[in-house]
Amino acid sequence: MTALQSPFARKLGAFVTLSTLELSVLERLHSRRRTFVAGRDISHEGQTDQAAYILASGWVCSYKLLTNGSRQIVDFQIPGDFLGLRSVLLRTADHNIEPVTLIEASEVPVKDLMETFDATPRLGAAVLWAASRDEAMVVEHLVGLGRRDARERMAHFLLELSARLKLVGLATADGYACPLSQYLLADALGLSAVHVNRVLRELREMGLVTFQNGQVTFQDFDGLVALADFDTAYLDHEGPLMP
Amino acid sequence: MTALQSPFARKLGAFVTLSTLELSVLERLHSRRRTFVAGRDISHEGQTDQAAYILASGWVCSYKLLTNGSRQIVDFQIPGDFLGLRSVLLRTADHNIEPVTLIEASEVPVKDLMETFDATPRLGAAVLWAASRDEAMVVEHLVGLGRRDARERMAHFLLELSARLKLVGLATADGYACPLSQYLLADALGLSAVHVNRVLRELREMGLVTFQNGQVTFQDFDGLVALADFDTAYLDHEGPLMP
DNA sequence: CGGGCAATTGACTCTCATCAAACTGCGTGG
DNA sequence: CCACGCAGTTTGATGAGAGTCAATTGCCCG
């Protein structure tokens, strides 16, 4: 896979034009390709000396555990997303990272990351910008947990994933393949798995979306947008401020 | 106020040693001092060309509104905190910023910010590190909204504020002055104001904390920590990776 | 064929929102 | 100096949304 085709380049390319040099630097970042099996954590809260990764294929989740045994998934990462950038900046991982499926990811050692920032500041800015965009997503999740009911939360979540997946060519207007179990959805949306099931049934019976056999299919996209009060503004920022 | 005494320098100084040059650059960042009255927003979602601010005194909240009229406060900022960094990086504000009290803040134009990154990379790294720490806090809030009940949330919130305020000398082991109304607490914790009141009463009757007349007083700090499952790890990261 | 995991459904419970109504402290203006 | 209004706090009563417990179904895979 060349950098031009990599989901990461594709995502950045949707917002800025990258020079040949920058594309080749991107390609070099993809040299340390690794695979990880589903379910075994890549990184644990409290670990130091973390590497960052760029996800090439498969899905990942970032989560935190509470001592009472429950867990909260902070976000899912899809191809083209950066993993563990904050953990690198803070020197210690502040959350756990678990592959949801078999994944391929390119390890980016701190040194390479710093050198990239130095050698191609435009790429550095792009990475920072992507990180800010991810943070905006986390904020939106927080708003959902605080002020949306279960139906709205689910609708919003499915729509956000749709927008993100479209950017890397993994979704169409009709829907997308989604490898998440109802337990994972529950941990992400702050609900119980049982309630997730009921909410999905409701949305299906309302004729809005179906989520069955790992496939999300929109029946009434606009209706879903209306229900979720979904506004893509937080995803559709202008590209990074390029030096 | 010299940079040495500013809450921002004080906060950074708790994690790294700053050179005289760096302190003087910091001081220059504080030149455009402005004041804002409580209740009138400094910045609105969707606005472009945002400036960033360093908060010198007073309290601020960042929030988002939903079309159904409810609002979710994402975080409060206290003296020493940066405001609107993400809005600058994304070129568009993705949330609103409202002073809770009369505040003093130093405006930091994008240009100055970039120049600082360029001229004193260590300060740039420090700012980035502080931003990552703030993001870790947002993540912790998200976990609270998703997986903690009202009592735990309130306890955790009061403890986090305590830790943050201590860092800039605004709290003692006994407690701190807190200008937040129960409505603000409600919007931050994803609760109704009525329920906030009941929860505060409960915590008081359990002999853990009191929050009355704008003063938070700990009666049983350890008991509160236990109830909240509070772990300062997400606040106590090592200092920034200094180039 | 049996084990195991995810999805599904029903019955019951509990936390928290909502509505309503006092009550407080406080600044303003008559 | 007091009446008034207002914003914030406090308390009670009721109901809805979501959790928990439990049982069943469907399906994949050894």
Side-chain angles (χ1 to χ4, degrees):
Chain A
M1 181 187 305
T2 72
L4 185 58
Q5 296 166 323
S6 83
F8 186 54
R10 183 164 182 163
K11 186 169 93 170
L12 291 185
F15 296 95
V16 290
T17 314
L18 295 172
S19 71
T20 322
L21 168 65
E22 285 157 355
L23 284 172
S24 75
V25 172
L26 260 192
E27 194 165 4
R28 197 156 344 113
L29 285 184
H30 280 80
S31 58
R32 302 180 180 233
R33 182 64 57 95
R34 301 177 56 180
T35 65
F36 297 89
V37 299
R40 175 136 61 246
D41 284 13
I42 293 177
S43 146
H44 283 290
E45 204 172 329
Q47 277 186 333
T48 53
D49 289 325
Q50 292 299 294
Y53 296 89
I54 298 170
L55 186 56
S57 73
W59 291 45
V60 178
C61 71
S62 316
Y63 67 94
K64 294 193 82 164
L65 289 174
L66 279 75
T67 56
N68 67 26
S70 61
R71 88 165 171 176
Q72 177 64 46
I73 292 176
V74 175
D75 202 0
F76 295 101
Q77 276 76 42
I78 58 172
D81 285 347
F82 225 95
L83 297 185
L85 184 58
R86 192 173 65 251
S87 297
V88 165
L89 289 172
L90 293 176
R91 309 261 275 292
T92 304
D94 68 334
H95 57 268
N96 307 288
I97 298 185
E98 174 187 320
V100 170
T101 65
L102 176 70
I103 66 162
E104 294 180 285
S106 307
E107 184 178 338
V108 183
V110 184
K111 195 170 70 62
D112 291 17
L113 193 61
M114 293 303 175
E115 283 172 10
T116 305
F117 272 62
D118 223 39
T120 49
R122 282 168 48 95
L123 271 188
V127 168
L128 226 55
W129 170 84
S132 299
R133 189 171 169 277
D134 289 348
E135 194 185 345
M137 273 195 299
V138 171
V139 166
E140 194 61 33
H141 295 170
L142 186 149
V143 171
L145 288 174
R147 292 298 183 202
R148 280 192 252 264
D149 68 21
R151 272 206 323 235
E152 295 167 340
R153 239 130 89 186
M154 178 65 76
H156 196 277
F157 177 80
L158 295 176
L159 287 168
E160 180 189 288
L161 270 183
S162 161
R164 293 173 62 189
L165 289 165
K166 273 182 200 156
L167 209 55
V168 287
L170 293 174
T172 67
D174 295 335
Y176 51 91
C178 180
L180 306 177
S181 73
Q182 295 184 354
Y183 288 92
L184 286 168
L185 292 177
D187 283 344
L189 300 177
L191 301 170
S192 68
V194 172
H195 203 58
V196 162
N197 186 283
R198 287 193 249 264
V199 168
L200 284 175
R201 174 157 57 89
E202 247 189 301
L203 293 179
R204 193 184 327 128
E205 289 172 351
M206 291 169 78
L208 296 172
V209 242
T210 63
F211 184 170
Q212 281 166 325
N213 306 115
Q215 185 68 33
V216 173
T217 311
F218 296 115
Q219 309 290 330
D220 177 1
F221 195 88
D222 295 341
L224 202 60
V225 167
L227 169 66
D229 184 24
F230 185 67
D231 175 358
T232 58
Y234 73 103
L235 296 171
D236 293 335
H237 289 282
E238 291 176 74
L241 257 184
M242 289 300 210
Chain B
M1 184 188 300
T2 74
L4 185 59
Q5 297 166 321
S6 83
F8 186 54
R10 183 164 183 164
K11 186 169 94 171
L12 291 184
F15 296 95
V16 290
T17 314
L18 295 171
S19 71
T20 322
L21 169 64
E22 286 157 355
L23 284 172
S24 75
V25 172
L26 261 192
E27 194 166 4
R28 197 153 347 110
L29 285 183
H30 280 79
S31 59
R32 300 182 182 231
R33 183 64 59 92
R34 301 179 52 179
T35 65
F36 297 89
V37 298
R40 174 135 63 243
D41 284 15
I42 293 178
S43 142
H44 284 289
E45 201 170 340
Q47 278 187 332
T48 53
D49 291 324
Q50 290 300 294
Y53 295 89
I54 297 171
L55 186 55
S57 72
W59 292 44
V60 178
C61 72
S62 315
Y63 68 95
K64 292 193 83 164
L65 289 174
L66 280 75
T67 55
N68 66 28
S70 61
R71 86 166 172 176
Q72 178 64 47
I73 291 177
V74 175
D75 202 2
F76 294 101
Q77 278 76 42
I78 59 172
D81 286 347
F82 226 94
L83 298 184
L85 184 58
R86 192 172 66 252
S87 296
V88 165
L89 289 173
L90 293 176
R91 309 259 274 293
T92 304
D94 68 335
H95 57 267
N96 308 287
I97 298 184
E98 173 187 321
V100 170
T101 65
L102 177 69
I103 65 163
E104 293 181 285
S106 307
E107 185 178 337
V108 183
V110 184
K111 195 170 71 61
D112 291 16
L113 193 61
M114 294 301 175
E115 284 172 9
T116 305
F117 273 63
D118 223 39
T120 49
R122 283 168 48 93
L123 271 188
V127 168
L128 228 53
W129 169 85
S132 299
R133 187 171 171 276
D134 289 348
E135 193 184 346
M137 271 194 300
V138 172
V139 166
E140 194 61 34
H141 294 171
L142 185 149
V143 171
L145 287 175
R147 291 300 183 202
R148 279 192 251 264
D149 67 21
R151 272 206 321 234
E152 296 168 338
R153 239 131 88 188
M154 178 64 77
H156 197 279
F157 177 81
L158 295 176
L159 287 168
E160 180 188 289
L161 271 183
S162 160
R164 293 172 63 189
L165 289 165
K166 273 182 200 157
L167 210 54
V168 286
L170 293 175
T172 68
D174 295 334
Y176 51 91
C178 180
L180 306 177
S181 73
Q182 296 183 353
Y183 288 93
L184 287 168
L185 292 176
D187 284 344
L189 299 176
L191 301 170
S192 67
V194 173
H195 203 58
V196 162
N197 185 281
R198 287 193 244 266
V199 168
L200 284 175
R201 174 155 59 89
E202 249 189 297
L203 293 179
R204 195 184 326 129
E205 288 171 353
M206 292 168 78
L208 296 172
V209 242
T210 63
F211 185 169
Q212 282 167 323
N213 306 115
Q215 184 68 33
V216 173
T217 310
F218 296 116
Q219 309 289 330
D220 176 2
F221 195 89
D222 295 342
L224 202 61
V225 168
L227 170 66
D229 183 25
F230 184 68
D231 176 357
T232 57
Y234 74 102
L235 295 171
D236 291 336
H237 290 283
E238 292 175 72
L241 259 182
M242 289 301 210

